[in-house]
Amino acid sequence: MNRNDLPSALLAANPAPDAEPGDAERLAAIRAAVDHRRHSVAVSSVPRRHGRRLAVLAGLTTAAVVVAVAGTRLWSSEPDPLISAAVAMDGSLSCGPTIEGYADPIRPDKARVRLFPTVLPDGWRLVNVFARSSTWPAACTLPSLMAADLGKEGVMRGGVWVSGPVDRITSWDEEGGVETNPKPVRTDDTLNSRPAVRYDWQNSTSWVWSDERGKYWQATVSGYPLDQARKIMAAVRTEGDQVVWSGERVPQLRVLHQRTGPRYPAETRTEDWYITLTDGHGDWIVNVRSGRLEPLAADLKTGLRLESVNGHTLIDWGSSLSYEAQPGSWADTEVRGDPAAVRALLAGLRQLPADDPRLDEYARKE
């Protein structure tokens, strides 16, 4: 299959339309591009911001998925002491509409995370492993606070995400933001006695405001009507770079992540570890991103279930699974065949020592 044979809908969704598919080493770059798109949509419902990286092009072979260009820098090399973010038309924070990912190769034995499967689904075998280093935005994509209302069996009924502080805020126009139907409603508002801009969209309410220092914050409350969203936000205040949570005001919400150290930097260094598997008919990739500054639980979305597998956090997205293999390292993969077998695969990931001969035996030839 060549590029012109691909369905028009797939071509339209391509995050890097000028690149040719078919080069598996470029998977890390498309991961960054798709992650950026995911973070540019408001937290409100599973089909929107809750969509996972792998679900975007689910069902395609590795060769068809990999379309972004490795080596393209995510950010300008010029240092900028100020942290900037863009506000999309739905009130979500993003890092701007023109970000492109890049991925520099790493020898498997030099990677920080070197996870190997100890359990494989019947009929599957390990093909190879490879690793990439990249830079990923932090301040404009990671929540400084995330609290969730968890119902029976860990299903999230609603929650709040607070991001910031950042130094500068810009706005996307309608063409630069995410197309939505119905369109979000933007309103001048007051939040906890501070002037704010409110964005109402579907079952979420978002606010953007500045603190006494002129630093900007953003919050999204999902799963509640406006009056209840205001009560939840009454439990939120900021002191310097910290978010202070008064949980006694909203006892139904449980804090799953709260940053207590310095504010997030504009960008952070990450590594991606890729495990390629095959059933003899097509390839299947497990992608582990390390260097995460927040726990996997902070990525939970309304309507999804927070689970624990052997003491490790797991989120079931339907067509894909996310598993916190170790602190700061998330494993993502599609669900193919028996979901229980895929869970067993993730739970069986184990770190290899740097001198393990399998790191050389299964290293992707590059």
Side-chain angles (χ1 to χ4, degrees):
M1 176 181 288
N2 61 40
R3 189 175 194 277
N4 293 329
D5 294 328
L6 293 173
S8 59
L10 175 58
L11 291 174
N14 183 357
D18 296 328
E20 291 293 330
D23 185 356
E25 72 178 14
R26 299 180 177 185
L27 183 58
I30 193 175
R31 165 71 179 264
V34 172
D35 265 354
H36 165 64
R37 285 191 174 185
R38 169 175 163 262
H39 279 293
S40 69
V41 185
V43 178
S44 61
S45 61
V46 173
R48 290 290 181 179
R49 189 175 180 178
H50 305 349
R52 291 301 289 170
R53 279 84 57 174
L54 298 172
V56 174
L57 301 176
L60 299 179
T61 64
T62 303
V65 169
V66 182
V67 292
V69 178
T72 302
R73 286 286 170 176
L74 190 66
W75 303 104
S76 167
S77 59
E78 294 298 322
D80 187 347
L82 300 180
I83 297 177
S84 300
V87 182
M89 61 184 296
D90 53 29
S92 60
L93 283 191
S94 179
C95 298
T98 59
I99 294 174
E100 295 182 27
Y102 82 94
D104 290 335
I106 306 173
R107 279 177 40 183
D109 62 337
K110 300 299 183 183
R112 292 194 302 263
V113 173
R114 304 175 297 275
L115 294 174
F116 258 62
T118 60
V119 179
L120 291 178
D122 290 341
W124 290 85
R125 66 177 177 84
L126 178 63
V127 177
N128 59 41
V129 297
F130 59 102
R132 297 291 182 266
S133 174
S134 62
T135 301
W136 184 243
C140 53
T141 61
L142 304 184
S144 291
L145 172 77
M146 187 272 187
D149 179 359
L150 299 176
K152 292 182 178 179
E153 300 181 348
V155 175
M156 183 174 174
R157 296 179 292 206
V160 57
W161 296 256
V162 182
S163 299
V166 297
D167 300 299
R168 299 181 301 207
I169 287 285
T170 59
S171 298
W172 288 7
D173 56 24
E174 185 170 334
E175 289 72 28
V178 178
E179 294 184 5
T180 60
N181 186 20
K183 294 184 182 301
V185 177
R186 181 184 185 279
T187 308
D188 290 335
D189 198 4
T190 300
L191 180 68
N192 297 338
S193 302
R194 299 290 302 178
V197 178
R198 190 181 82 238
Y199 301 80
D200 298 291
W201 184 54
Q202 295 186 354
N203 68 335
S204 72
T205 305
S206 299
W207 286 271
V208 176
W209 74 98
S210 63
D211 61 21
E212 294 81 357
R213 306 170 302 162
K215 306 294 184 182
Y216 291 91
W217 299 82
Q218 187 270 356
T220 294
V221 177
S222 174
Y224 303 96
L226 178 59
D227 59 343
Q228 184 64 21
R230 289 190 183 279
K231 292 179 181 178
I232 291 172
M233 287 305 301
V236 174
R237 75 177 194 277
T238 62
E239 291 183 358
D241 289 343
Q242 304 301 315
V243 182
V244 179
W245 175 250
S246 300
E248 68 279 2
R249 297 192 177 192
V250 279
Q252 75 273 24
L253 266 65
R254 166 186 161 192
V255 173
L256 299 183
H257 170 59
Q258 186 170 10
R259 175 183 55 78
T260 56
R263 67 172 178 171
Y264 295 127
E267 58 189 35
T268 184
R269 195 78 172 177
T270 62
E271 286 187 5
D272 285 274
W273 174 261
Y274 296 93
I275 304 167
T276 308
L277 307 165
T278 185
D279 63 354
H281 302 286
D283 288 349
W284 176 27
I285 286 184
V286 177
N287 174 202
V288 184
R289 171 162 288 178
S290 61
R292 303 299 302 239
L293 300 179
E294 82 281 28
L296 175 61
D299 210 37
L300 186 67
K301 304 296 184 284
T302 304
L304 300 183
R305 178 178 289 108
L306 183 68
E307 304 179 29
S308 177
V309 177
N310 295 339
H312 295 251
T313 300
L314 181 141
I315 299 176
D316 185 346
W317 301 83
S319 61
S320 66
L321 296 174
S322 294
Y323 177 73
E324 195 163 34
Q326 55 192 41
S329 298
W330 304 2
D332 291 311
T333 192
E334 292 180 73
V335 175
R336 295 191 185 181
D338 181 7
V342 180
R343 289 167 181 258
L345 165 70
L346 295 176
L349 294 175
R350 295 293 182 269
Q351 178 85 347
L352 290 184
D355 59 355
D356 192 296
R358 286 172 289 182
L359 293 171
D360 182 62
E361 177 186 355
Y362 286 101
R364 187 168 177 268
K365 308 306 178 187
E366 313 191 90

